Amino acid sequence: MTETLPYRWYTDGDVLARERERLFAHSWQYAGHIGQLSEPGSYFTLRVGDIPLVVVRDKAGTLRAFVNVCRHRGAEVVSGEGRCTTLQCHYHAWTYGLDGALRAAPRSEADPDFDREGLGLRPAQVETWGPFLFVNPDAGAAPLADTLGDLPQIVREHGLDVDALEFHQRVDYSLEANWKVAVENYLECYHCPVAHPSFSEVIDVHPDRYVLESHATFASHFARGRDGEGQFHLIWPNIKVNVMPGRPNLSIGPLVPTEPGRTEGWLDYFFAPDMDPDWIADYLELDYQVGAEDRELVESVQRGMRSGAFEHGRLLLPSEELIGAFQRWVAARLDYTPSRGNSSSHERE
Ligand code: FES
Ligand SMILES: [Fe+2]
């Protein structure tokens, strides 16, 4: 496939609705780090696609996740993060245990037909890789290990022990671009020498020495730096995992579509404990710089796609082979006919 996906797939609300249903409602998503659930009763909320979830450590210490939608009339049960002994809805105070069972509903004794059985929170899934928490809104989805595949081993073999990392900070950002534009930008370093001069000073971006690898559930780049190897992975469809050369470090986070032309994301940064703050500051400065350069690129692409001037673009191989792999993965799951033309995305509906 040397043609890109149709540009309409990057601007159309129907396509995003289908992506939410077919990609995000069943995929493992990075949710946060284990320090957010340090105590029994610790919880936090997040959304995957447009599905609200709550992740909690129960009294026995087990991690649990639920769809954070009240079985009464649909409010989000809890918000934010904190400590709790029950999950109590803020609307009419229906109260769920940390196992998700409905424990109490005020005035329910007056309703003779009311049965708490069967009105528990819908379970979702939560699992960990080292300090990283992943959730899946689909309780029936295959385990996280199937999605991660060889990635934990690859990360380790390339020199990083994720269990030795500590959470440092979260950085939120938003982009005026479709989430796939941001993913595709991440999947190639063809643009690095042109658009990232400072990054290209510390990482060897020459195509003969910059390695691209496509796996069933993720894609990887490996590149040498002055003081070690960098690894950059994208877990299908939308989770970035970055390891820069040098001291132990990793950043991880999703690209979350909020509208066809708008994406929100965050990166959680992890470092070895007691690392030199100056090294961290330089690292974050370079990361911020690269992020600002990428923002200009993806927002420019979104404007170009939206203009209607062309129906699709042309991938350049092999430099963009990981984009090809991503586009095939997306197209297979959306089950659209990836042909050109304005009606293509409705053909199968
Ligand atoms: S919607 Fe939750 S208690 Fe009414
Ligand atoms: Fe970039």
Side-chain angles (χ1 to χ4, degrees), residues 87-303:
L87 297 166
Q88 186 176 71
C89 182
H90 65 121
Y91 200 170
H92 313 91
W94 282 28
T95 304
Y96 304 87
L98 302 186
D99 59 356
L102 179 62
R103 291 283 152 75
R107 305 189 200 175
S108 58
E109 22 348 301
D111 179 343
D113 295 330
F114 188 78
D115 184 2
R116 281 185 285 136
E117 284 296 309
L119 288 175
L121 296 176
R122 179 186 292 173
Q125 296 194 67
V126 54
E127 287 197 57
T128 58
W129 163 31
F132 317 128
L133 293 171
F134 289 79
V135 292
N136 194 316
D138 179 358
L144 176 64
D146 287 20
T147 287
L148 295 182
D150 293 335
L151 182 60
Q153 190 188 337
I154 290 172
V155 168
R156 196 165 49 240
E157 283 171 0
H158 286 265
L160 185 70
D161 174 9
V162 298
D163 289 305
L165 297 173
E166 261 180 13
F167 175 73
H168 186 264
Q169 72 180 113
R170 174 170 294 185
V171 173
D172 294 289
Y173 59 94
S174 64
L175 303 166
E176 298 298 321
N178 184 267
W179 70 278
K180 298 189 295 299
V181 174
V183 166
E184 291 165 5
N185 176 65
Y186 183 84
L187 286 174
E188 50 92 354
C189 209
Y190 183 23
H191 71 277
C192 295
V194 186
H196 298 311
S198 6
F199 178 83
S200 304
E201 268 173 33
V202 298
I203 297 266
D204 185 352
V205 297
H206 191 282
D208 290 346
R209 294 178 292 278
Y210 195 96
V211 177
L212 303 174
E213 272 182 21
S214 175
H215 300 260
T217 54
F218 63 96
S220 305
H221 320 204
F222 302 96
R224 304 301 305 179
R226 271 197 300 263
D227 40 355
E229 187 180 36
Q231 16 172 348
F232 310 96
H233 310 279
L234 191 105
I235 305 169
W236 299 154
N238 68 328
I239 304 167
K240 299 178 184 182
V241 180
N242 306 289
V243 180
M244 288 292 281
R247 320 243 173 119
N249 72 86
L250 182 145
S251 63
I252 180 169
L255 288 154
V256 182
T258 55
E259 294 170 32
R262 190 176 163 83
T263 300
E264 288 180 357
W266 79 80
L267 279 172
D268 279 357
Y269 289 86
F270 296 79
F271 299 101
D274 306 320
M275 225 156 80
D276 177 6
D278 290 343
W279 193 90
I280 293 179
D282 287 350
Y283 170 107
L284 291 173
E285 192 183 310
L286 176 62
D287 223 53
Y288 180 83
Q289 167 79 23
V290 172
E293 289 159 356
D294 279 326
R295 166 191 306 283
E296 287 211 16
L297 301 175
V298 298
E299 294 185 348
S300 166
V301 167
Q302 188 71 19
R303 290 191 295 273

Side-chain angles (χ1 to χ4, degrees), residues 45-47 50-53 68-70 73-79 88-91:
T45 58
L46 77 157
R47 280 188 311 147
D50 42 11
I51 305 172
L53 296 179
N68 185 26
V69 175
C70 186
R73 294 216 339 267
E76 290 159 314
V77 179
V78 288
S79 55
Q88 186 176 71
C89 182
H90 65 121
Y91 200 170

